[in-house]
Amino acid sequence: MIRREAIIGDCRLILGDCREVLPALGTVDAVVTDPPYGISAGTGIGKVTKEGSDFRSRDQWDRAPPSKSMFDALLTMSRHQIIWGGNYFDLPPTKCFLVWDKVQPQSFSLAMAEMAWTNVDSPAKIFRWKSMSINGGAAKFHPTQKPHHLMGWCLGFLPNARTILDPFMGSGTTGVACVKLGRKFIGIEIDQDYFEIACERIQHAYAQPDMFVDRPPNPKQESLF
Ligand SMILES: C[S@@+](CC[C@H](N)C(=O)[O-])C[C@H]1O[C@@H](n2cnc3c(N)ncnc32)[C@H](O)[C@@H]1O
């Protein structure tokens, strides 16, 4: 069930459970997403709301990874997929893992890198970006927020994908990267606070002067979704 919907430029943001929303969506060019890994990443970090970090709450969203049938649906509804945390999920063998090197000092407890499963026809690639400077020093809105530069780098592997779906949108980082690269975006988020943060970030991204710096050459007018 769609609890709320916002259309911002070429982005459609949906508040709801993607397990219920996906069957009504039809096909998209690519799924670029960062699902719950099932490692309780939010636990103890605190939920980040519009009012700031609430370190008393315990997020439940990372308790379990998506089901096999969810991944089957994502692979069926799109030509291309880039799925962060792919090393945690039951996905087919692939030649191209994308690796985010967080450029962190040696640590026994913290991950120094994260991996995305893809069906991209490329050898494995590495992106180096300090995890601390997630958005070039800008505010962090979600406990497991990805840098938008990382998601923009991912989109570079999908030059012909016009409409990108992120069914686990969080604070909307994939959408921000889509705005900056002139792609259409559909995002779904189950948590109302993160949905609202995503709406604000995407609105803000459209107001930035560096938008459309790398818009793919396809000026043909098509229906939005
Ligand atoms: C790893 S986080 C994504 C973080 C995001 N990449 C960012 O930069 O902000 C996964 C998100 O999926 C959301 N989520 C979990 N289950 C969901 C579901 N069934 N439908 C939609 N969203 C869901 C969680 O609330 C969480 O915000």
Side-chain angles (χ1 to χ4, degrees), residues 16-19 34-37 61-62 70 142 144-147 151 166-174 188-191 194 201:
D17 185 330
C18 65
R19 290 167 294 190
D34 177 29
Y37 297 180
W61 57 262
D62 200 34
M70 164 60 68
H142 194 287
T144 60
Q145 189 173 326
K146 294 281 182 289
M151 303 314 280
D166 184 350
F168 301 95
M169 170 171 70
S171 63
T173 308
T174 309
I188 309 169
E189 172 57 44
I190 201 168
D191 182 293
Y194 293 139
R201 289 185 73 204

